[in-house]
Structures are given as C-alpha cells and as structure tokens.
Amino acid sequence: MSEAVSNLLKGIDYSKEFELLVEAYEKSGGTPEVLKSDKYASLAIHGNHVLGKNEVRGLRVETVETENGVRVKVQVEPGVRIQNPVHLCFGLVPEEGLQEIISDFDIGEEAEVKFIAHCSFPNALRIKHVMDSTIRLRRGAKMTYSETHFHGDEGGIEVLPTTRATLEEGAVFENEFKLVKGAVGRLKIDFKAKVGEKAVCEIYAKVYGKGDDDIVVSESLHLLGARSKGLAKSRIAVTDRARSEVIGEIVGDAAYSRGHVDCVEVIRGREAQVSAVPRLLVRDDTAKLTHEAAIGSVDKKQVETLMARGLTEDEAVDVIVSGMLR
Amino acid sequence: MEDTGPGQGGAERLHCVVRFSEKNEPGYDYGQSDLQNLNNGTMRLQIEKLNVFVNGYHILKDVDLVVYKGEIHSILGANGTGKSSLAYTIMGLESYEVRSGRILFEGEDITRLPVWERARRGITLAWQEPARFEGLTVRQYLLLSRRASKKGPPPEEALLRVGLEPSRYLDRALDESLSGGERKRIELASVLAMMPKLVILDEPDSGIDALSINFITDSIRLFAKLGASVLLITHHEEVAAMADRSSTMCGGTVLKTGSPDEVARFYRLHCRECEHVNEPEEEVARNV
Ligand SMILES: Nc1ncnc2c1ncn2[C@@H]1O[C@H](COP(=O)(O)OP(=O)(O)OP(=O)(O)O)[C@@H](O)[C@H]1O
Ligand SMILES: [Mg+2]
C-alpha cells in the first residue's frame, strides 16, 4: 500500500477492515453472507488490500496488490457453467484515497457466468476510483456483469470505469451499471465492445444524478461479425445542478448486423442539464441500426395517468423515475 | 376561397346542432324522467356551456351534460367528434384549455382544479390508450390507485374482476410487454381499485376479445351498484345500451341526450350520414 493511502487509512483498526468493507458493501445493496459462503465465488478488495477471495470449480481468480489497487485476473474454464453468481466487492471506507482495479476476464468457450459487483465508497469526500477491465468472451460464452455503486451523500468522488470487451462468435454479454442511491460525484463510463459473428452485446446504464453530479456515459458497440447484435440502453435522471451526457455509438460493419441505441434522460428542475448524442454508422447494406432518445421532462401522459389516481405531480414523477431506474 | 359548404362565411360555424332540428326538440324527453328514481336525481357532474381549445383548436363547443349519482351514461359518436377530449377535459388534463363554461362536481366548481385534486375528490379516467410504464409492476400500479380512496378491492380481486389471473399478472411490468387488451383490462382494474365517485371510461371495450367483454360490462355495473357514476364512451351500441342514459357527440358538442335506444336510433339515422364525419371542415376548428 502506498504511504499516502496508508496515512489515509490511519485511525482505522485493520483487524476490522473486512467488517468495515462488508458494512459498506451492505449499504450498496450487497448481501454479506455470500462473501463468507463457500458456495459462491467471491472477491473482496478494500483499497489495495485483497481481504477475501473464494474460487469455485472451473473459475480461477488471481490477484496482485499494486501501489494503488489490485490487478485481478478471472478465468472461467471452457464449457463450465458457474452455478451461482460470482460476487465482487470493491471499495474504500475512508473519506479520501485512490483505488485502481485493473481486471482481466477470460471466459472460456461455451462457459457461462454471472458477476454481481458492488462498489462502495460510503464516506467519499476526495476519492478516485479507476476500473480498467478487459473482457474476452470466447466462442459461445455467456457472461452477465452487473455492477451497483454507492458513493455516500457528499459526491466527493471521481469514478472512471473503462471496459474493453471482445465477443467471439456466438458469445452473449450483458453489462449493467447502476448508481441510483446517494450521490454520483463525477462519473465517466467508457465502454467499448467488438462484437463477433452472431454474438450479442447488451449494455445498460442507470444513474440518478443530484447536487453537482456530473455524468458521462460513452458507449460504443462495433458490430464486426455477420448477424451480430448490439443494444445500448441508458436511463438517466438528473436534478439540482447535475448534468448528464450519453454518447451512444453503434457501428454496423457486418452483414445483417442489428443495433439499437435506447436513451431516456429525465431532467427535474431548472438548473440540471441532459444531452444525448447517438451516433450510428453503417457500412454494410444489410445491416440495420436504430435509435430512440427521449430527453427532458418525464412523459406527460404517464404523469397525468398517475395524477388521475390521486398522486400529486411530484409524487407521480418520483414513481415514474424510480420505476425507470429500477 | 374554396366553398366549404353551409356554415361558410360567418364567424359561427353552422354545424349539426343547427342542421338537425331534432336536437333539443321541444317536448323531447331527455331521459330525465327515468332518473327521477335514480338517487332522487342528485347531480354528480354538471357541464355547462363548455368551450375547450387544444393548441388553439376549438375542440369542444358549448357542451352541456349532466351525469347523476349512480348513473351509467354512455357517449356515442363517430371518430374525432370530441369524446376523448371531453373525458380529458373533465379529468383536467393540461392541454385542454377551458375558455368558457364550467364543470361542477357534486356542486363544486372544479373547472380550474389540477388533475390530482379532481382525483382526490373522486374522479378518475381509464384511458382509451393507457400509458405504459417501465419498471412499475401491475401490483404497484393497482396499489397506487387504491391509495387515494382505500375503498376499492385489493389488487388480486381487481384483476379477477376484469378476468385476469392475478398470479400471472401481479408481478409483471406495466410496460410494452403487455398486449393492448391486457393493458386496457389492467386500466379498468386500477379504476376498480380506486373505486371513485365518477368513473370516465374511454372505450373500455375496444380491443377486448368477445369472450371477455362480460368482465368489462360486469365491472361497469359494479361501479353503478356501489353508487359511482359512469361516463362510458363506446362505439358499441350493445354496450351503450347498458346505460341509464346516453348522449351522442358530433363536431365537438353533445347533440342529443336521451334513452340509449333513442340516442342509438338518432345516431344511426343522422350521424352516420353526417358530412362532418366524412368531410370534416378544415376551418371548423381553427378559431384562435
Ligand atoms: N392536439 C390536438 N391538435 C389538433 N387537433 C386535435 C388535438 N387533439 C384532438 N384534436 C382533434 O379534436 C377532435 C376530437 O378528438 P377526440 O380524440 O376527442 O375524438 P374522439 O371522439 O375521442 O374520437 P375516437 O372515436 O377516434 O376516439 C379530432 O378531430 C381531433 O383530430
Ligand atoms: Mg377517443
């Protein structure tokens, strides 16, 4: 651990580090039992400390602690279907610090696995969280990665998740990023995938920005293989002075490739701001890409429907937004 | 200027109200005599000389209508004659600007009240094409609907009453995955769950399969039995016939009110031939 981080962790009882992380994990919606159970593969990392790790048959997790974080390598053997979800718990309990997780996922041919990740920074005042993931899904592999963040209420955090995914023939990848409770801080998602023949890549982002939160979601799906499919779906709500920008790009380069960008950004209040930049590029006359974006106020008919059942306008908007972000 | 037929040249448009002298024919029984018995003729909804504009278009013209306590009042009318607009205006939707006239609910002038305040006084609307919601379940929607009054049945029972099996529907999202008919039946179930005093049903029977239409008509009867008033917009004369009284609309106004039989006959005789349906006059509505 770097001296800087060590200093920041001063005052924390290290024997309790795991308990503190688990407490934070719970705040972000995780269930602590799964981190202690043998039935679930799991990995718990606080700052640059690997505090817990459990492997199951067919799934290997290697870790190397670095100055500011951890290097992680996850491998799933070909043909293996991991029964239970793999739980990942990352975070930093102190108010300040840097956590850098560099990860590499290699999912073997025809293997199947689901990851549930929670990233918790409950006291964040000056934190930077970098996630650099390289993901490779071999032929016919299936992977679901669902990540939920919790950053406390102050918004003193910068989160930079970068993903580079490669999907080989027939692979299916579903990626979800969710940050709907507490503050966001500054979030910049950078996701790029290369989608091979008959492979399917679906990415979902759900974020609720408040205060001075700043959200940038930049997604790019490159449909390289014949009959590949891509979906980039974002649901963002912002209030106060928060801002969000969604850049959804799909490139249809292969025969019969299909892609769709679906973006809804809701704005509440006069000082918030949303923007959407869909970019579709087609280079094959049998490919087809579509996009729909609805940005601004909540759908009026939805609001009026709920008001006709007796909800005030604010209550109606709350119900609609929380449904959208569920 | 192009000749647009009768009514051209004046600020006032000559429409059916004038052409069909039968409207308000002296001595015509509005069907009110039958209602002397209906809750002693207590008026629940009174609409007086209502003129409504949408986007600058004059959509409702001098509409007069009374709905009594416990009455089922059906509204017949060709496409585009203003039935839904009337429903939305009673509910108070934002785009429907009342420029003159008023709406009374249980004697209180509600013309300027926001939608939710009307709802809390006991008015609700089942939409012709109900909205879809992402991430909201059928159960949640029904519970929200029930919250205001707490008088209606719980979600399970509301669904059974519209012929939907609760175990199959309660946890489904109220989104695009529901079929049109399913969504409409859930809309009616949500009105049951609310059990308001005035139920406005905008074509609750459209898109409903023939075998299930009984669930709709039974629900309507239940409202009336429990003392609610129902304003029932429908294109089906058989459904309109279950009403205590009926009105027909044309060109944005209520042309005739009477017994369902009477009104259906009038509608068949005149409205189906009416040129306003077949050749709506362009300048008709434009009157900013
Ligand atoms: N926003 C609008 N701008 C312009 N015209 C409108 C608008 N909304 C409604 N209208 C017009 O007002 C008239 C009445 O519409 P409305 O939806 O009330 O008819 P309806 O009787 O319910 O018809 P349907 O049987 O097809 O449901 C129509 O001619 C319609 O085109
Ligand atoms: Mg209509």
Side-chain angles (χ1 to χ4, degrees), chain A residues 233 235 262 264 299-313 315 319-320 323-324 326, chain B residues 93-95 115-116 119-120 124-125 127 129 131-135 140-141 145 147-148 187 190-191 194:
Chain A
K233 185 167 165 176
R235 295 291 180 266
D262 174 359
V264 178
D299 182 74
K300 193 166 149 193
K301 185 168 175 180
Q302 292 181 338
V303 176
E304 288 183 329
T305 298
L306 296 179
M307 288 204 293
R309 299 291 183 270
L311 277 71
T312 62
E313 187 164 352
E315 289 169 341
V319 167
I320 295 160
M324 180 184 106
R326 186 162 295 132
Chain B
L93 304 195
E94 199 192 341
S95 315
V115 178
W116 62 274
R120 289 188 185 180
T124 203
L125 164 71
W127 304 63
E129 277 165 36
R132 312 276 181 152
F133 296 84
E134 242 178 53
Q140 288 168 323
Y141 185 52
S145 304
R147 205 176 70 177
E187 189 68 358
S190 81
V191 176
M194 186 173 167

Side-chain angles (χ1 to χ4, degrees), chain A residues 161-182:
Chain A
T162 302
T163 306
R164 294 292 175 263
T166 307
L167 285 71
E168 293 183 2
E169 185 187 339
V172 178
F173 182 32
E174 202 183 301
N175 185 81
E176 185 190 47
F177 181 96
K178 202 168 165 184
L179 204 180
V180 298
K181 272 202 312 190

